[in-house]
Amino acid sequence: MSHRASRRRLTIVSVVATAALGAAGLTLLPSLASAAPCPDVEVVFARGSGEAPGLGITGAPLVRNIKSGLPGKTVASHAVDYAANFSQTSAGPGATEMTNHVRSTAANCPNTSFVLGGYSQGASVTDIALGIRTTLGRGQTIPTALAPKVKAVVVFGNPLRLSGRTINSDSGLYGAKAKEFCNTGDPVCGNGRNTAAHLTYHVNGSVQTGARFAVDKINAG
């Protein structure tokens, strides 16, 4: 599949997905940021195309589940501030924002650990921030020296899979820390034709499984 055709498919799916979310009456939740200046853990998440600013339909429940799985720790969140546009051209700037936020937080809060993640185009934001080359642009990457602070990476509907690649296959630094979800038939990550498959990560158990993965990685140190 050509880069242009791939981008066109992602754009069409994003438009349909946003319409479906609106029809279902789903609320795109804002960031659930903690008031603690230096939390034990911060979840940095990038929403999908067309979602309102905030953590989005997968990021918000992911944060809630991680919080409930770490009762003895303070957990904050940061919603990546990027356009999440339908043209699929904002992943690079999103990666730069994610990277700058992690760099700044790590400098101010040296004992804070991170969970990174994203949904749909937001997964591409995460890929680029981890130093993985994608067809959706380029941006700044998280310094190698900060990699040990990133305890887990959780992504949903990652377009990287359309090229037969994963974070595990493409990143020696983060592959073992990554959990990726791609529903059967999802056109954004599985080259399928079932748009609905792209909209169910927050209700089919994927978010809960991803949160448990992150919690286990954090507890393992």
Side-chain angles (χ1 to χ4, degrees):
M1 180 183 296
S2 69
H3 292 178
R4 180 175 297 176
S6 176
R7 181 166 291 178
R8 183 166 58 249
R9 164 171 279 191
L10 292 174
T11 301
I12 292 171
V13 169
S14 297
V15 172
V16 173
T18 300
L21 290 173
L26 295 174
T27 301
L28 304 180
L29 299 176
S31 174
L32 305 177
S34 167
C38 283
D40 296 316
V41 179
E42 184 173 71
V43 184
V44 183
F45 196 89
R47 71 195 190 281
S49 301
E51 293 194 89
L55 294 169
I57 60 170
T58 54
L62 180 70
V63 171
R64 288 197 299 269
N65 278 273
I66 291 175
K67 283 185 175 181
S68 65
L70 296 170
K73 297 182 182 293
T74 55
V75 180
S77 65
H78 172 75
V80 175
D81 184 10
Y82 84 118
N85 56 28
F86 289 128
S87 62
Q88 310 293 312
T89 59
S90 55
T96 295
E97 202 277 344
M98 176 181 276
T99 293
N100 287 339
H101 178 79
V102 170
R103 184 187 291 119
S104 174
T105 301
N108 293 322
C109 300
N111 295 321
T112 295
S113 297
F114 297 93
V115 175
L116 306 182
Y119 166 53
S120 196
Q121 187 180 177
S124 292
V125 168
T126 308
D127 295 336
I128 298 168
L130 298 182
I132 298 172
R133 182 166 295 186
T134 79
T135 62
L136 294 184
R138 297 183 182 182
Q140 293 184 25
T141 61
I142 296 168
T144 302
L146 296 181
K149 293 182 178 294
V150 177
K151 302 303 182 183
V153 179
V154 183
V155 296
F156 307 87
N158 191 352
L160 185 68
R161 294 175 67 99
L162 291 177
S163 58
R165 299 152 61 209
T166 64
I167 295 173
N168 183 266
S169 70
D170 277 34
S171 177
L173 278 176
Y174 300 100
K177 304 176 183 181
K179 184 73 171 178
E180 301 184 58
F181 297 89
C182 180
N183 288 335
T184 300
D186 186 338
V188 173
C189 60
N191 206 27
R193 297 184 178 183
N194 182 9
T195 300
H198 191 60
L199 306 175
T200 57
Y201 294 103
H202 64 297
V203 295
N204 69 358
S206 296
V207 164
Q208 290 82 356
T209 301
R212 285 196 299 271
F213 174 83
V215 167
D216 288 345
K217 289 294 186 182
I218 292 165
N219 285 335

Short mmCIF file of all heavy atoms in Angstrom, two decimals, residues 103-169:
data_model
loop_
_atom_site.label_atom_id
_atom_site.label_comp_id
_atom_site.label_asym_id
_atom_site.label_seq_id
_atom_site.Cartn_x
_atom_site.Cartn_y
_atom_site.Cartn_z
N ARG A 103 10.67 15.00 28.86
CA ARG A 103 11.98 15.57 29.21
C ARG A 103 11.85 16.58 30.35
O ARG A 103 12.63 16.55 31.32
CB ARG A 103 12.59 16.26 27.98
CG ARG A 103 13.99 16.81 28.22
CD ARG A 103 14.48 17.63 27.05
NE ARG A 103 14.75 16.81 25.88
CZ ARG A 103 14.15 16.94 24.72
NH1 ARG A 103 13.19 17.85 24.56
NH2 ARG A 103 14.47 16.18 23.70
N SER A 104 10.85 17.47 30.26
CA SER A 104 10.65 18.48 31.29
C SER A 104 10.26 17.87 32.63
O SER A 104 10.79 18.24 33.68
CB SER A 104 9.57 19.47 30.83
OG SER A 104 9.26 20.40 31.84
N THR A 105 9.32 16.93 32.59
CA THR A 105 8.87 16.30 33.83
C THR A 105 9.99 15.51 34.48
O THR A 105 10.17 15.55 35.70
CB THR A 105 7.67 15.38 33.56
OG1 THR A 105 6.61 16.15 32.99
CG2 THR A 105 7.18 14.72 34.85
N ALA A 106 10.77 14.80 33.67
CA ALA A 106 11.89 14.03 34.22
C ALA A 106 12.92 14.94 34.89
O ALA A 106 13.52 14.57 35.91
CB ALA A 106 12.54 13.21 33.12
N ALA A 107 13.12 16.12 34.32
CA ALA A 107 14.08 17.06 34.91
C ALA A 107 13.58 17.61 36.23
O ALA A 107 14.35 17.78 37.18
CB ALA A 107 14.34 18.20 33.94
N ASN A 108 12.26 17.89 36.31
CA ASN A 108 11.69 18.46 37.52
C ASN A 108 11.32 17.42 38.57
O ASN A 108 11.25 17.73 39.76
CB ASN A 108 10.44 19.27 37.17
CG ASN A 108 10.77 20.51 36.36
OD1 ASN A 108 11.77 21.17 36.60
ND2 ASN A 108 9.92 20.83 35.39
N CYS A 109 11.06 16.20 38.12
CA CYS A 109 10.62 15.12 39.02
C CYS A 109 11.44 13.87 38.71
O CYS A 109 10.95 12.94 38.04
CB CYS A 109 9.14 14.84 38.83
SG CYS A 109 8.06 16.26 39.16
N PRO A 110 12.68 13.81 39.17
CA PRO A 110 13.58 12.71 38.79
C PRO A 110 13.14 11.33 39.26
O PRO A 110 13.63 10.33 38.76
CB PRO A 110 14.91 13.12 39.43
CG PRO A 110 14.54 14.08 40.52
CD PRO A 110 13.34 14.81 40.02
N ASN A 111 12.22 11.25 40.22
CA ASN A 111 11.77 9.95 40.71
C ASN A 111 10.47 9.48 40.06
O ASN A 111 9.94 8.43 40.42
CB ASN A 111 11.60 10.00 42.23
CG ASN A 111 12.91 10.21 42.94
OD1 ASN A 111 13.94 9.68 42.56
ND2 ASN A 111 12.89 11.02 44.00
N THR A 112 9.94 10.26 39.14
CA THR A 112 8.70 9.89 38.45
C THR A 112 8.98 8.91 37.32
O THR A 112 9.89 9.10 36.54
CB THR A 112 8.00 11.14 37.89
OG1 THR A 112 7.58 11.97 38.98
CG2 THR A 112 6.77 10.77 37.06
N SER A 113 8.15 7.86 37.27
CA SER A 113 8.20 6.89 36.18
C SER A 113 7.08 7.21 35.18
O SER A 113 6.08 7.84 35.54
CB SER A 113 8.02 5.46 36.71
OG SER A 113 9.07 5.11 37.58
N PHE A 114 7.22 6.72 33.94
CA PHE A 114 6.26 7.05 32.90
C PHE A 114 5.64 5.81 32.27
O PHE A 114 6.29 4.79 32.10
CB PHE A 114 6.93 7.87 31.79
CG PHE A 114 7.45 9.20 32.23
CD1 PHE A 114 8.76 9.34 32.65
CD2 PHE A 114 6.63 10.32 32.25
CE1 PHE A 114 9.26 10.56 33.06
CE2 PHE A 114 7.11 11.56 32.66
CZ PHE A 114 8.43 11.67 33.07
N VAL A 115 4.36 5.97 31.91
CA VAL A 115 3.69 5.05 31.00
C VAL A 115 3.30 5.89 29.79
O VAL A 115 2.63 6.91 29.93
CB VAL A 115 2.43 4.42 31.63
CG1 VAL A 115 1.70 3.55 30.59
CG2 VAL A 115 2.79 3.60 32.87
N LEU A 116 3.73 5.47 28.61
CA LEU A 116 3.41 6.20 27.39
C LEU A 116 2.39 5.41 26.57
O LEU A 116 2.36 4.18 26.62
CB LEU A 116 4.67 6.41 26.54
CG LEU A 116 5.87 7.05 27.22
CD1 LEU A 116 7.00 7.23 26.21
CD2 LEU A 116 5.51 8.38 27.85
N GLY A 117 1.56 6.14 25.83
CA GLY A 117 0.60 5.43 25.00
C GLY A 117 -0.17 6.33 24.07
O GLY A 117 -0.08 7.56 24.13
N GLY A 118 -0.95 5.70 23.20
CA GLY A 118 -1.76 6.45 22.27
C GLY A 118 -2.75 5.54 21.55
O GLY A 118 -2.63 4.31 21.58
N TYR A 119 -3.70 6.18 20.93
CA TYR A 119 -4.76 5.48 20.19
C TYR A 119 -4.80 6.01 18.76
O TYR A 119 -4.81 7.23 18.55
CB TYR A 119 -6.09 5.73 20.90
CG TYR A 119 -7.33 5.37 20.11
CD1 TYR A 119 -7.50 4.11 19.54
CD2 TYR A 119 -8.35 6.30 19.94
CE1 TYR A 119 -8.65 3.80 18.83
CE2 TYR A 119 -9.50 6.00 19.24
CZ TYR A 119 -9.65 4.73 18.68
OH TYR A 119 -10.78 4.43 17.97
N SER A 120 -4.77 5.10 17.78
CA SER A 120 -4.88 5.47 16.38
C SER A 120 -3.73 6.41 15.99
O SER A 120 -2.57 6.05 16.15
CB SER A 120 -6.27 6.09 16.13
OG SER A 120 -6.58 6.14 14.75
N GLN A 121 -4.01 7.61 15.50
CA GLN A 121 -2.91 8.53 15.18
C GLN A 121 -2.06 8.80 16.42
O GLN A 121 -0.85 9.02 16.32
CB GLN A 121 -3.43 9.86 14.62
CG GLN A 121 -2.31 10.77 14.13
CD GLN A 121 -2.79 12.10 13.55
OE1 GLN A 121 -2.00 12.95 13.17
NE2 GLN A 121 -4.10 12.30 13.46
N GLY A 122 -2.67 8.74 17.59
CA GLY A 122 -1.93 8.92 18.84
C GLY A 122 -0.90 7.82 19.06
O GLY A 122 0.13 8.03 19.71
N ALA A 123 -1.17 6.62 18.52
CA ALA A 123 -0.18 5.55 18.59
C ALA A 123 1.03 5.90 17.72
O ALA A 123 2.17 5.61 18.08
CB ALA A 123 -0.79 4.23 18.14
N SER A 124 0.77 6.56 16.58
CA SER A 124 1.88 7.02 15.73
C SER A 124 2.68 8.10 16.44
O SER A 124 3.91 8.16 16.31
CB SER A 124 1.34 7.56 14.40
OG SER A 124 0.80 6.53 13.61
N VAL A 125 2.00 8.97 17.18
CA VAL A 125 2.70 9.96 18.00
C VAL A 125 3.69 9.25 18.92
O VAL A 125 4.86 9.64 19.04
CB VAL A 125 1.69 10.77 18.84
CG1 VAL A 125 2.41 11.59 19.92
CG2 VAL A 125 0.87 11.70 17.95
N THR A 126 3.21 8.20 19.56
CA THR A 126 4.05 7.44 20.49
C THR A 126 5.21 6.77 19.77
O THR A 126 6.36 6.82 20.24
CB THR A 126 3.20 6.38 21.21
OG1 THR A 126 2.05 7.00 21.79
CG2 THR A 126 3.99 5.70 22.31
N ASP A 127 4.93 6.15 18.62
CA ASP A 127 5.99 5.51 17.83
C ASP A 127 7.13 6.48 17.55
O ASP A 127 8.31 6.17 17.76
CB ASP A 127 5.45 5.01 16.49
CG ASP A 127 4.42 3.90 16.62
OD1 ASP A 127 4.43 3.19 17.65
OD2 ASP A 127 3.61 3.76 15.70
N ILE A 128 6.75 7.66 17.04
CA ILE A 128 7.77 8.64 16.65
C ILE A 128 8.56 9.12 17.87
O ILE A 128 9.79 9.27 17.80
CB ILE A 128 7.11 9.82 15.93
CG1 ILE A 128 6.43 9.34 14.63
CG2 ILE A 128 8.13 10.92 15.60
CD1 ILE A 128 5.51 10.37 13.99
N ALA A 129 7.87 9.34 18.98
CA ALA A 129 8.56 9.78 20.20
C ALA A 129 9.54 8.72 20.70
O ALA A 129 10.55 9.05 21.32
CB ALA A 129 7.54 10.10 21.30
N LEU A 130 9.26 7.46 20.39
CA LEU A 130 10.16 6.37 20.79
C LEU A 130 11.31 6.19 19.81
O LEU A 130 12.19 5.34 20.04
CB LEU A 130 9.38 5.06 20.89
CG LEU A 130 8.24 5.00 21.91
CD1 LEU A 130 7.61 3.61 21.91
CD2 LEU A 130 8.73 5.36 23.30
N GLY A 131 11.30 6.95 18.72
CA GLY A 131 12.38 6.87 17.75
C GLY A 131 12.11 5.92 16.60
O GLY A 131 13.04 5.56 15.86
N ILE A 132 10.84 5.53 16.42
CA ILE A 132 10.47 4.63 15.33
C ILE A 132 10.02 5.45 14.12
O ILE A 132 9.14 6.30 14.25
CB ILE A 132 9.35 3.67 15.77
CG1 ILE A 132 9.84 2.80 16.93
CG2 ILE A 132 8.87 2.81 14.60
CD1 ILE A 132 8.74 1.95 17.56
N ARG A 133 10.57 5.17 12.97
CA ARG A 133 10.20 5.90 11.77
C ARG A 133 8.86 5.39 11.24
O ARG A 133 8.64 4.19 11.12
CB ARG A 133 11.28 5.75 10.70
CG ARG A 133 11.00 6.52 9.42
CD ARG A 133 12.23 6.61 8.56
NE ARG A 133 13.28 7.42 9.21
CZ ARG A 133 14.43 7.75 8.64
NH1 ARG A 133 14.69 7.38 7.40
NH2 ARG A 133 15.33 8.47 9.30
N THR A 134 7.96 6.31 10.93
CA THR A 134 6.64 5.95 10.41
C THR A 134 6.37 6.73 9.13
O THR A 134 7.16 7.59 8.73
CB THR A 134 5.52 6.27 11.43
OG1 THR A 134 5.23 7.67 11.38
CG2 THR A 134 5.93 5.89 12.84
N THR A 135 5.22 6.44 8.50
CA THR A 135 4.83 7.16 7.29
C THR A 135 4.04 8.43 7.62
O THR A 135 3.63 9.15 6.72
CB THR A 135 3.97 6.27 6.38
OG1 THR A 135 2.77 5.90 7.08
CG2 THR A 135 4.72 5.02 5.97
N LEU A 136 3.83 8.69 8.91
CA LEU A 136 3.00 9.83 9.30
C LEU A 136 3.79 11.01 9.85
O LEU A 136 3.25 11.84 10.57
CB LEU A 136 1.95 9.38 10.33
CG LEU A 136 0.90 8.39 9.82
CD1 LEU A 136 -0.13 8.10 10.91
CD2 LEU A 136 0.21 8.92 8.57
N GLY A 137 5.06 11.09 9.51
CA GLY A 137 5.82 12.27 9.88
C GLY A 137 6.98 11.98 10.80
O GLY A 137 7.23 10.84 11.19
N ARG A 138 7.66 13.06 11.17
CA ARG A 138 8.81 12.96 12.06
C ARG A 138 8.70 14.02 13.15
O ARG A 138 8.11 15.08 12.93
CB ARG A 138 10.12 13.15 11.29
CG ARG A 138 10.38 12.09 10.25
CD ARG A 138 11.72 12.27 9.58
NE ARG A 138 11.96 11.27 8.55
CZ ARG A 138 13.05 11.18 7.83
NH1 ARG A 138 14.04 12.07 8.02
NH2 ARG A 138 13.19 10.24 6.91
N GLY A 139 9.30 13.73 14.28
CA GLY A 139 9.31 14.67 15.39
C GLY A 139 10.46 14.36 16.31
O GLY A 139 11.25 13.43 16.05
N GLN A 140 10.57 15.12 17.38
CA GLN A 140 11.64 14.89 18.34
C GLN A 140 11.39 13.58 19.08
O GLN A 140 10.25 13.16 19.28
CB GLN A 140 11.72 16.05 19.32
CG GLN A 140 12.17 17.35 18.69
CD GLN A 140 12.32 18.47 19.70
OE1 GLN A 140 12.55 18.22 20.89
NE2 GLN A 140 12.19 19.70 19.26
N THR A 141 12.49 12.94 19.49
CA THR A 141 12.39 11.65 20.18
C THR A 141 12.92 11.75 21.61
O THR A 141 13.77 12.59 21.91
CB THR A 141 13.17 10.57 19.43
OG1 THR A 141 14.55 10.93 19.36
CG2 THR A 141 12.63 10.42 18.01
N ILE A 142 12.42 10.90 22.45
CA ILE A 142 12.81 10.90 23.86
C ILE A 142 14.28 10.51 23.98
O ILE A 142 14.70 9.51 23.38
CB ILE A 142 11.92 9.91 24.65
CG1 ILE A 142 10.47 10.39 24.61
CG2 ILE A 142 12.41 9.76 26.09
CD1 ILE A 142 9.47 9.38 25.11
N PRO A 143 15.08 11.27 24.71
CA PRO A 143 16.50 10.95 24.83
C PRO A 143 16.71 9.54 25.38
O PRO A 143 15.99 9.08 26.27
CB PRO A 143 17.01 12.01 25.83
CG PRO A 143 16.05 13.15 25.68
CD PRO A 143 14.72 12.52 25.42
N THR A 144 17.70 8.87 24.84
CA THR A 144 18.00 7.50 25.26
C THR A 144 18.23 7.40 26.77
O THR A 144 17.86 6.41 27.40
CB THR A 144 19.24 6.98 24.51
OG1 THR A 144 18.99 7.04 23.10
CG2 THR A 144 19.57 5.55 24.91
N ALA A 145 18.81 8.43 27.35
CA ALA A 145 19.10 8.41 28.78
C ALA A 145 17.84 8.34 29.64
O ALA A 145 17.90 7.92 30.79
CB ALA A 145 19.91 9.66 29.16
N LEU A 146 16.70 8.74 29.06
CA LEU A 146 15.45 8.71 29.82
C LEU A 146 14.67 7.41 29.63
O LEU A 146 13.64 7.21 30.26
CB LEU A 146 14.57 9.90 29.42
CG LEU A 146 15.12 11.29 29.74
CD1 LEU A 146 14.12 12.36 29.33
CD2 LEU A 146 15.45 11.41 31.22
N ALA A 147 15.14 6.54 28.74
CA ALA A 147 14.42 5.29 28.47
C ALA A 147 14.15 4.47 29.72
O ALA A 147 13.06 3.89 29.85
CB ALA A 147 15.19 4.46 27.44
N PRO A 148 15.08 4.38 30.69
CA PRO A 148 14.78 3.58 31.89
C PRO A 148 13.61 4.12 32.71
O PRO A 148 12.98 3.37 33.47
CB PRO A 148 16.09 3.67 32.69
CG PRO A 148 17.14 3.91 31.67
CD PRO A 148 16.48 4.82 30.66
N LYS A 149 13.28 5.40 32.55
CA LYS A 149 12.16 5.97 33.29
C LYS A 149 10.81 5.58 32.67
O LYS A 149 9.78 5.68 33.32
CB LYS A 149 12.28 7.50 33.34
CG LYS A 149 13.47 8.00 34.16
CD LYS A 149 13.49 9.51 34.21
CE LYS A 149 14.64 10.00 35.08
NZ LYS A 149 14.46 9.61 36.50
N VAL A 150 10.84 5.17 31.42
CA VAL A 150 9.62 4.72 30.76
C VAL A 150 9.43 3.24 31.07
O VAL A 150 10.14 2.39 30.56
CB VAL A 150 9.69 4.93 29.23
CG1 VAL A 150 8.44 4.40 28.56
CG2 VAL A 150 9.90 6.42 28.91
N LYS A 151 8.48 2.95 31.93
CA LYS A 151 8.30 1.58 32.41
C LYS A 151 7.41 0.75 31.49
O LYS A 151 7.52 -0.48 31.45
CB LYS A 151 7.70 1.60 33.82
CG LYS A 151 8.54 2.35 34.84
CD LYS A 151 9.94 1.80 34.94
CE LYS A 151 10.77 2.53 35.99
NZ LYS A 151 12.17 2.04 36.06
N ALA A 152 6.49 1.41 30.78
CA ALA A 152 5.58 0.67 29.91
C ALA A 152 5.08 1.57 28.79
O ALA A 152 5.01 2.79 28.92
CB ALA A 152 4.40 0.12 30.71
N VAL A 153 4.73 0.93 27.67
CA VAL A 153 4.14 1.60 26.52
C VAL A 153 2.89 0.80 26.12
O VAL A 153 2.99 -0.42 25.93
CB VAL A 153 5.11 1.67 25.33
CG1 VAL A 153 4.46 2.36 24.14
CG2 VAL A 153 6.41 2.39 25.73
N VAL A 154 1.75 1.48 26.01
CA VAL A 154 0.50 0.80 25.66
C VAL A 154 -0.18 1.57 24.53
O VAL A 154 -0.51 2.74 24.68
CB VAL A 154 -0.45 0.72 26.88
CG1 VAL A 154 -1.71 -0.07 26.50
CG2 VAL A 154 0.24 0.07 28.08
N VAL A 155 -0.38 0.90 23.39
CA VAL A 155 -1.00 1.56 22.24
C VAL A 155 -2.15 0.73 21.69
O VAL A 155 -2.15 -0.50 21.79
CB VAL A 155 0.02 1.87 21.13
CG1 VAL A 155 1.07 2.85 21.61
CG2 VAL A 155 0.67 0.60 20.61
N PHE A 156 -3.09 1.43 21.07
CA PHE A 156 -4.29 0.79 20.52
C PHE A 156 -4.47 1.23 19.06
O PHE A 156 -4.39 2.41 18.75
CB PHE A 156 -5.52 1.21 21.32
CG PHE A 156 -5.39 0.98 22.80
CD1 PHE A 156 -4.82 1.95 23.62
CD2 PHE A 156 -5.84 -0.19 23.38
CE1 PHE A 156 -4.69 1.75 25.00
CE2 PHE A 156 -5.72 -0.41 24.74
CZ PHE A 156 -5.14 0.56 25.56
N GLY A 157 -4.72 0.27 18.16
CA GLY A 157 -4.96 0.60 16.76
C GLY A 157 -3.79 1.31 16.12
O GLY A 157 -3.98 2.34 15.44
N ASN A 158 -2.60 0.77 16.26
CA ASN A 158 -1.38 1.44 15.78
C ASN A 158 -1.20 1.27 14.26
O ASN A 158 -1.03 0.15 13.77
CB ASN A 158 -0.17 0.85 16.50
CG ASN A 158 1.09 1.65 16.28
OD1 ASN A 158 1.13 2.57 15.48
ND2 ASN A 158 2.15 1.30 16.99
N PRO A 159 -1.21 2.38 13.48
CA PRO A 159 -1.03 2.28 12.03
C PRO A 159 0.29 1.66 11.62
O PRO A 159 0.43 1.20 10.47
CB PRO A 159 -1.11 3.75 11.57
CG PRO A 159 -1.90 4.44 12.63
CD PRO A 159 -1.51 3.76 13.91
N LEU A 160 1.27 1.61 12.51
CA LEU A 160 2.57 1.02 12.19
C LEU A 160 2.40 -0.43 11.71
O LEU A 160 3.18 -0.91 10.87
CB LEU A 160 3.46 1.05 13.44
CG LEU A 160 4.91 0.58 13.28
CD1 LEU A 160 5.69 1.55 12.40
CD2 LEU A 160 5.58 0.46 14.66
N ARG A 161 1.39 -1.09 12.20
CA ARG A 161 1.19 -2.51 11.86
C ARG A 161 0.79 -2.71 10.39
O ARG A 161 0.90 -3.82 9.87
CB ARG A 161 0.14 -3.12 12.79
CG ARG A 161 0.59 -3.18 14.24
CD ARG A 161 -0.53 -3.68 15.14
NE ARG A 161 -0.86 -5.06 14.86
CZ ARG A 161 -0.42 -6.10 15.56
NH1 ARG A 161 0.38 -5.91 16.60
NH2 ARG A 161 -0.79 -7.33 15.26
N LEU A 162 0.31 -1.66 9.74
CA LEU A 162 -0.04 -1.78 8.33
C LEU A 162 1.19 -2.11 7.47
O LEU A 162 1.06 -2.66 6.38
CB LEU A 162 -0.68 -0.48 7.82
CG LEU A 162 -2.07 -0.15 8.35
CD1 LEU A 162 -2.54 1.20 7.81
CD2 LEU A 162 -3.07 -1.25 8.01
N SER A 163 2.36 -1.76 7.97
CA SER A 163 3.60 -2.07 7.25
C SER A 163 4.27 -3.33 7.80
O SER A 163 5.43 -3.60 7.52
CB SER A 163 4.57 -0.88 7.33
OG SER A 163 4.86 -0.57 8.69
N GLY A 164 3.52 -4.09 8.61
CA GLY A 164 4.05 -5.33 9.16
C GLY A 164 5.03 -5.14 10.29
O GLY A 164 5.83 -6.05 10.58
N ARG A 165 4.98 -3.99 10.93
CA ARG A 165 5.94 -3.68 12.00
C ARG A 165 5.21 -3.43 13.31
O ARG A 165 4.02 -3.15 13.34
CB ARG A 165 6.76 -2.45 11.62
CG ARG A 165 7.56 -2.64 10.35
CD ARG A 165 7.79 -1.33 9.63
NE ARG A 165 8.53 -0.40 10.46
CZ ARG A 165 8.42 0.93 10.37
NH1 ARG A 165 7.57 1.48 9.50
NH2 ARG A 165 9.14 1.71 11.13
N THR A 166 5.95 -3.55 14.40
CA THR A 166 5.42 -3.27 15.74
C THR A 166 6.49 -2.54 16.54
O THR A 166 7.65 -2.47 16.12
CB THR A 166 5.05 -4.56 16.49
OG1 THR A 166 6.25 -5.33 16.70
CG2 THR A 166 4.04 -5.40 15.71
N ILE A 167 6.11 -2.02 17.68
CA ILE A 167 7.11 -1.41 18.56
C ILE A 167 8.11 -2.47 19.00
O ILE A 167 9.31 -2.22 19.08
CB ILE A 167 6.42 -0.76 19.78
CG1 ILE A 167 5.53 0.39 19.32
CG2 ILE A 167 7.46 -0.26 20.79
CD1 ILE A 167 4.68 0.99 20.43
N ASN A 168 7.62 -3.67 19.26
CA ASN A 168 8.50 -4.76 19.67
C ASN A 168 9.54 -5.08 18.61
O ASN A 168 10.72 -5.31 18.92
CB ASN A 168 7.67 -6.01 19.99
CG ASN A 168 8.54 -7.15 20.49
OD1 ASN A 168 8.97 -8.01 19.73
ND2 ASN A 168 8.80 -7.15 21.78
N SER A 169 9.14 -5.07 17.35
CA SER A 169 10.07 -5.43 16.28
C SER A 169 11.03 -4.29 15.93
O SER A 169 12.14 -4.54 15.45
CB SER A 169 9.30 -5.84 15.02
OG SER A 169 8.66 -4.71 14.43
#
